[in-house]
Amino acid sequence: MRRAIAVARTTPPGDIPVGAVIFAPDGRALATGTNRREADQDPTAHAEVVAIREAVTRFGDGWRLTGCELVVTLEPCLMCAGAIVGARLGSVVFGADEPKTGACGSLIDALRAPGALHTPQVRAGVLAADTAALLTDFFASLRTDR
């Protein structure tokens, strides 16, 4: 998670600081991603999706990331949860809960829904205070910039 926090700190200005790292089964980092919706003018450019797109080019199993682990600073949304299932990631570790859009247990639980095509392991709340601080600081800076 500390690596994901460091990645989040490289988020382009104007984008919400979220960092994601995908690790191969042997523990090596395959890919990183930050939120880039504003920078790329792309509503799908969430940190998780950016990292998944990069990881599949490096992992060597087509579009599958079987046995890989996604570590992300913020609970994935429904779109990202769908990408996680579609990529067949083995596990997801996230920091801060996202009560408004979280799809890994906060608002809904898309990753562990009955009948899901693939069910990755999920671990929540890792360094939650540190990951939540990234968001608190970002939104506080928006209020003081006005």
Side-chain angles (χ1 to χ4, degrees):
M1 185 60 71
R2 292 192 195 292
R3 175 86 184 268
I5 291 169
V7 169
R9 290 189 174 120
T10 70
T11 301
D15 275 296
I16 298 170
V18 176
V21 182
I22 296 178
F23 294 95
D26 65 7
R28 69 189 155 92
L30 287 173
T32 62
T34 63
N35 271 354
R36 300 191 52 83
R37 292 186 311 169
E38 298 296 329
D40 295 352
Q41 297 183 343
D42 177 355
T44 68
H46 289 202
E48 301 93 327
V49 172
V50 170
I52 288 169
R53 288 175 181 159
E54 182 180 335
V56 297
T57 67
R58 295 185 176 167
F59 189 55
D61 189 18
W63 50 267
R64 292 173 192 84
L65 295 172
T66 307
C68 294
E69 180 169 77
L70 168 68
V71 178
V72 61
T73 57
L74 182 64
E75 180 179 2
C77 69
L78 186 56
M79 176 187 70
C80 293
I84 290 163
V85 169
R88 306 298 194 266
L89 278 152
S91 60
V92 176
V93 176
F94 69 88
D97 289 340
E98 175 40 278
K100 293 181 181 178
T101 62
C104 300
S106 289
L107 180 63
I108 61 171
D109 196 349
L111 295 183
R112 294 171 283 204
L117 295 174
H118 173 73
T119 307
Q121 295 178 355
V122 177
R123 196 167 95 195
V126 176
L127 295 178
D130 295 336
T131 56
L134 291 167
L135 302 167
T136 303
D137 294 348
F138 172 77
F139 288 109
S141 73
L142 290 181
R143 288 189 290 277
T144 60
D145 288 347
R146 291 180 186 192

